[in-house]
């Protein structure tokens, strides 16, 4: 989860040129963006071989002390997010595709759905799929 948050933070800082931090920060540099990530759930798919993890990403903008230009800053981010967010997850280069991008007040939110393989569990030296094949097929 931390890898995803750091990838979104790094991409937004690079693409927008605005200082971007993970979560809340005591940094008082303006303008600034803060990225928070919340896990929404996980669902097994593909017969239990993959898991789809769903996250809600919240980007908060602070343009200056009076927070006058926050909406403008956030609206510019929507176009950047449509390109996709490059990320390195578990050693694999991936592109994260934000869904349901919308702005409300001083926050921009979007969701991410990421499919990752479920590592096989071994029982007494056998993988779980081999065990199930042996039980059902009498191998």
């Amino acid at each position: 989860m931390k890898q995803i948050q750091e990838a979104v933070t790094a991409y937004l800082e690079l693409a927008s040129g605005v200082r971007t931090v993970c979560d809340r920060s005591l940094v008082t540099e303006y303008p600034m963006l803060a990225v928070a990530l919340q896990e929404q759930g996980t669902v097994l798919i593909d017969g239990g071989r993959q898991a789809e993890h769903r996250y809600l990403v919240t980007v908060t903008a602070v343009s200056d002390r009076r927070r006058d230009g926050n909406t403008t800053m956030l609206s510019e981010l929507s176009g950047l997010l449509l390109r996709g967010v490059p990320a390195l997850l578990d050693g694999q280069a991936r592109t994260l595709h934000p869904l349901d991008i919308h702005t409300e007040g001083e926050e921009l939110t979007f969701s991410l759905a990421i499919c990752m393989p479920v590592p096989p569990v071994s029982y007494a030296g056998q993988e779980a799929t081999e065990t199930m094949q042996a039980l059902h097929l009498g191998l």
Side-chain angles (χ1 to χ4, degrees), residues 35-115:
V35 176
L37 188 73
Q38 176 183 355
E39 188 168 5
Q40 288 187 309
T42 301
V43 177
L44 287 175
I45 57 174
D46 190 24
R49 290 181 290 240
Q50 294 188 51
E52 180 184 79
H53 304 278
R54 285 180 260 129
Y55 301 96
L56 178 66
V57 181
T58 304
V59 180
T60 307
V62 181
S63 58
D64 56 24
R65 285 186 189 268
R66 295 183 304 162
R67 300 178 181 225
D68 290 336
N70 293 350
T71 306
T72 305
M73 277 178 59
L74 292 174
S75 64
E76 293 171 357
L77 296 179
S78 296
L80 300 174
L81 291 169
L82 291 175
R83 297 179 194 156
V85 177
L88 187 64
L89 303 176
D90 295 331
Q92 289 184 312
R94 311 238 348 223
T95 301
L96 308 177
H97 298 284
L99 306 167
D100 304 322
I101 302 169
H102 67 280
T103 305
E104 186 175 322
E106 296 177 349
E107 294 182 340
L108 177 137
T109 58
F110 60 91
S111 58
L112 292 171
I114 301 165
C115 290

